[in-house]
Amino acid sequence: MTDSATTSATTGGSTGDDTTLRVLSTSDLAGLEISLADVIATVEGAYRTLHAGASDNPRKLTVTPEDGHSVSYAMLGRDGSREVVAVKTSYKHGLDKGRAEQRYYTTLTLYDDVSGLPVAMMDCARIGSLRTPAVSALLARECVAPGARSALVIGTGTQGRLALPFLLTALPQLDRLLLAGSHPAGIAAVRQELRVHFPDREVELVTDLRAAAGDADVILATAGGHTRAAVEAGWLRPGTLTILVGHGLAPSTLHRADRIVATSEAQMRVTGTDMADAAGHLPAVDTELPAVIAGITAGRRSPHERIFAYNSGLVVTDIALGHRFAQLAIAEGRGERVSLWR
């Protein structure tokens, strides 16, 4: 399907001045079938288009009250290959409370930049839950040491549950899968997701984080802000790749790394302040993932480098994956048309 045909399909065949907005709910998106490989390919394509200069991804805006009980983000971007403009909002409340008391809402609104018509407004939770581990898988694929066989995931929340299936999709040679978590329901969910996608694989629950970190070739930290897990640089052997999505790595893994890779250095300086040293300093990034994906720079330069990779969301990846979901949903007649501007 060509880009213009794709855009036409996404708008549901709307013509003229039809400004009806298709609203896709959580349940509308939950039933859509999409493979992990499709998600990774979609996200990778967004990075390639961004690096080629065809897409726009401005720095995100952040609002946080003084007491830190909530955080809000607003992100605007344009996907040049799909010719789609989108706005993403993200609001999390109750950061000073336990996980069960927290509230999280995120939306993505897409506009067709060829026809000038709205495409869809959707719950962005599933998109984010797939996009983020897909990015981690790409970071792992590009930065892992040769011969890597073991992976440790820290955390059993939304990101922890899909981390291993995505890692295995990108790195099928991994044959030892480790998990550090303390919530029984989360641990069970991680095992269930692994069983769905890779029924022949098993995960080991670790009790000694330091020993597990010393054994792992790839460490993916996805834990929430209340975690007590904090892997130190001194625990890691040469060649280890650490990827930070949430929490679970101490700042030393960043500051003592031989090489630092980020999805975006600008985003890291907005959302990665908890990894700053005592003086509030964050080290410079050596390269960014879009350049690595495009083959301009190397993710890894030697087998012995200890690499720190920072995974922060770029809205162009949400746009690409959201557009893919909109295509699938419209093809199945999902969602509700709303005359918002009438």
Side-chain angles (χ1 to χ4, degrees), residues 4-272:
S4 59
T6 298
T7 302
S8 177
T10 305
T11 59
S14 298
T15 58
D17 61 354
D18 180 2
T19 56
T20 302
L21 179 67
R22 186 181 295 261
V23 177
L24 298 170
S25 68
T26 304
S27 57
D28 289 328
L29 299 177
L32 293 174
E33 293 292 334
I34 187 168
S35 71
L36 303 188
D38 189 346
V39 174
I40 291 174
T42 300
V43 171
E44 182 173 1
Y47 281 127
R48 291 185 183 279
T49 305
L50 177 63
H51 187 267
S55 294
D56 296 293
N57 194 105
R59 180 171 170 172
K60 69 173 66 172
L61 299 176
T62 308
V63 174
T64 305
E66 286 188 9
D67 64 4
H69 75 269
S70 70
V71 62
S72 307
Y73 298 107
M75 291 149 275
L76 169 69
R78 184 181 188 277
D79 185 310
S81 65
R82 295 170 179 270
E83 296 189 278
V84 173
V85 172
V87 180
K88 179 183 177 182
T89 64
S90 177
Y91 171 65
K92 192 166 189 177
H93 182 274
L95 298 179
D96 54 340
K97 301 176 182 178
R99 183 184 301 180
E101 297 177 90
Q102 293 180 1
R103 298 291 179 266
Y104 179 58
Y105 308 98
T106 179
T107 63
L108 181 70
T109 306
L110 300 162
Y111 301 90
D112 180 342
D113 203 28
V114 176
S115 68
L117 297 175
V119 174
M121 179 179 182
M122 63 186 70
D123 169 35
C124 201
R126 188 181 180 202
I127 294 164
S129 72
L130 292 172
R131 177 263 292 157
T132 303
V135 174
S136 294
L138 287 169
L139 284 165
R141 188 190 75 187
E142 298 297 330
C143 300
V144 74
R149 305 295 294 271
S150 59
L152 166 65
V153 172
I154 302 172
T156 61
T158 301
Q159 291 305 318
R161 294 171 190 183
L162 278 169
L164 289 172
F166 271 100
L167 282 177
L168 287 170
T169 301
L171 299 172
Q173 74 271 22
L174 295 174
D175 58 14
R176 189 180 180 202
L177 310 176
L178 308 172
L179 176 66
S182 57
H183 298 280
I187 294 167
V190 169
R191 287 181 165 146
Q192 175 60 24
E193 285 290 348
L194 184 61
R195 194 175 302 118
V196 167
H197 298 283
F198 292 90
D200 59 330
R201 307 302 294 273
E202 297 289 340
V203 62
E204 302 175 35
L205 186 64
V206 303
T207 55
D208 187 335
L209 182 60
R210 180 169 188 160
D215 287 341
D217 296 306
V218 181
I219 300 174
L220 179 52
T222 73
H226 295 288
T227 185
R228 290 180 291 178
V231 170
E232 295 283 354
W235 302 359
L236 308 177
R237 61 188 179 186
T240 302
L241 167 65
T242 54
I243 303 172
L244 184 63
V245 176
H247 300 269
L249 300 179
S252 63
T253 57
L254 167 62
H255 294 272
R256 292 172 56 186
D258 300 309
R259 187 165 177 78
I260 301 170
V261 180
T263 49
S264 164
E265 183 169 16
Q267 299 286 43
M268 176 175 153
R269 297 196 177 281
V270 172
T271 61

